[in-house]
Amino acid sequence: MTDVILHIYDVTNSGSEKTNNTIMQINKIFKDGIGVGGIFHSAVQVYGDEEWSFGFCEYGSGVFSCPSGKNPMYSYRECLLLGRTNYSISKVNQILRELSRDWPGSSYDLLSRNCNHFCDEFCERLGVPKLPGWVNRFANAGDAAMEVAGTTALRLKQARTEIVSASKVAYRFLLGVASNGNGPDPDSPSNSNRGTPRFQAAWFKNLITTGAKPSSSSDIETSQGDTSSTTETNSCRTPATN
């Protein structure tokens, strides 16, 4: 048996000091202040002094290792003891070979397939608890929001199609009534130019050709905030339930 340790970093590799500082402020408020979450990179250490994580690359595996707590791209925050695995070092090496094959660098996605998702799967295969919810909460929330936005756009598109189709049917019907010369009942209370089939047909035609259109998926825009880093202590602790 051996300890499985999760190393957590503040994501401060944007290349912009302003962005990095913003990220640090977000993490300070949302994680340190209220315990909700933040923008983090994570890696798993098991056997030896290396930590394992996942990142983007055009070719080959996205799985990589570096000395534990020493990833130069980010600012170290803390480490958590997740538990102990019963697997031997040879079995762990086998798991890492399988993960290296299944996690190509080109498949990296910030919201749905990032380093934290990789660590979750690695921990699951090692038989220890997954990452605390706050580590990847922002990405999970963003992924859910994108899914909702996509579904909403599809429903708006479908609704628009149905409205236009119904309007065309009504327009053809009223146009047919008008062309047959069926005028309004002179004794009817609705006997006015506004209530005639000709007027209604023109109104429906105008609705189809110039009416307002609902929003489509192209109208949905995402915004990016600027966000950064100070080095923190690296004493390990057991994560609180989340």
Side-chain angles (χ1 to χ4, degrees), residues 6-167:
L6 179 71
H7 295 279
I8 301 172
Y9 300 77
D10 293 303
V11 175
T12 54
N13 63 332
S14 69
S16 164
E17 184 177 356
K18 180 180 179 182
T19 298
N20 291 340
N21 287 334
T22 303
I23 290 177
M24 292 298 296
Q25 289 301 314
I26 288 175
N27 291 352
K28 183 177 181 180
I29 294 170
F30 286 95
K31 170 54 177 67
D32 301 335
I34 59 179
V36 173
I39 303 171
F40 304 113
H41 170 81
S42 65
V44 172
Q45 178 186 359
V46 55
Y47 285 114
D49 298 325
E50 296 284 298
E51 64 179 36
W52 295 88
S53 191
F54 171 72
F56 172 81
C57 62
E58 291 186 10
Y59 306 102
S61 176
V63 178
F64 67 94
S65 67
C66 69
S68 295
K70 305 295 184 181
N71 190 317
M73 294 191 296
Y74 309 108
S75 297
Y76 195 80
R77 165 173 279 265
E78 61 185 305
C79 63
L80 306 175
L81 178 61
L82 296 178
R84 293 175 65 83
T85 182
N86 292 321
Y87 291 135
S88 65
I89 187 170
S90 60
K91 177 62 176 178
V92 171
N93 286 334
Q94 178 188 338
I95 292 172
L96 283 169
R97 286 194 296 270
E98 293 171 353
L99 290 172
S100 296
R101 182 188 64 241
D102 297 340
W103 288 74
S106 59
S107 69
Y108 180 92
D109 183 89
L110 180 63
L111 296 182
S112 62
R113 193 175 173 83
N114 62 29
C115 59
N116 301 317
H117 296 109
F118 166 81
C119 290
D120 259 346
E121 182 170 339
F122 191 14
C123 289
E124 184 176 21
R125 294 202 188 188
L126 292 173
V128 299
K130 292 184 177 183
L131 280 59
W134 58 264
V135 177
N136 205 31
R137 182 163 288 140
F138 277 20
N140 291 335
D143 195 30
M146 291 294 288
E147 183 177 352
V148 169
T151 302
T152 301
L154 176 61
R155 289 178 178 174
L156 286 172
K157 183 177 181 180
Q158 291 173 341
R160 175 176 176 246
T161 301
E162 292 170 0
I163 290 171
V164 171
S165 297
S167 300

Side-chain angles (χ1 to χ4, degrees), residues 213-226:
K213 300 178 180 178
S215 300
S216 66
S217 57
S218 62
D219 299 321
I220 300 174
E221 299 180 352
T222 57
S223 61
Q224 295 181 331
D226 281 344

